Amino acid sequence: MAIIARPCPITRDSLDAYQATFEALPSYLHARVVGPRTPENAIRFLEEVYSACQRTGHAKVLLEMAFTGPSLGVSGVLKVVEARSGDGSKLRKIAYVEASPDGPGKAQFAETAAINRAVNVHLFDSLAQAARWLEEDAGG
């Protein structure tokens, strides 16, 4: 089991910091992020997730996204999905849990937009549900 943490303070008028952690489990990668909700942070996190999947040989990932702040809005969500759906479509399964204390925001819209771009992603209410879906079949 490998855990990689990448803290990175931000330079905006916020005391929050971006931090991503990655845990390689036997059948999937568990990736968690906390920090300010911005399109740039979401894109950065998803880039790091894909790189971690390549390094660990995982084709399934559990995204636990705990960004804080207001929802990105439709244009912000589309910016993220358009930027990362190419690599996301190469993964076998992506389970997405919106763990933000500010609520789910546009999580369902993001899921639909990604599915429409050939990404096998599903939004779940809990980590346990997401993990069960990822482990339904042993491969990958």
Side-chain angles (χ1 to χ4, degrees):
M1 173 178 357
I3 298 176
I4 306 161
R6 297 183 186 273
C8 180
I10 61 170
T11 57
R12 298 187 184 155
D13 296 332
S14 173
L15 299 176
D16 294 344
Y18 171 99
Q19 183 171 345
T21 57
F22 303 90
E23 182 178 5
L25 299 169
S27 60
Y28 64 90
L29 180 76
H30 182 171
R32 182 173 199 279
V33 67
V34 296
R37 186 189 326 261
T38 66
E40 296 77 18
N41 279 347
I43 290 169
R44 175 181 171 188
F45 174 61
L46 295 174
E47 287 171 346
E48 291 179 4
V49 167
Y50 186 72
S51 292
C53 285
Q54 288 185 309
R55 282 193 310 276
T56 62
H58 286 86
K60 296 189 282 186
V61 63
L62 192 163
L63 301 176
E64 183 180 356
M65 300 182 67
F67 286 122
T68 56
S71 178
L72 294 182
V74 171
S75 63
V77 170
L78 288 175
K79 178 180 178 179
V80 174
V81 171
E82 288 172 5
R84 301 306 310 148
S85 60
D87 285 340
S89 67
K90 297 173 188 171
L91 297 174
R92 187 161 174 217
K93 285 185 170 183
I94 301 171
Y96 172 26
V97 176
E98 180 58 60
S100 170
D102 299 318
K106 299 272 189 256
Q108 288 181 323
F109 175 71
E111 176 192 36
T112 300
I115 289 169
N116 288 339
R117 287 161 180 80
V119 179
N120 186 16
V121 61
H122 291 283
L123 179 63
F124 294 92
D125 292 327
S126 73
L127 293 174
Q129 290 172 336
R132 275 193 299 277
W133 180 70
L134 290 170
E135 294 174 342
E136 280 178 352
D137 56 315

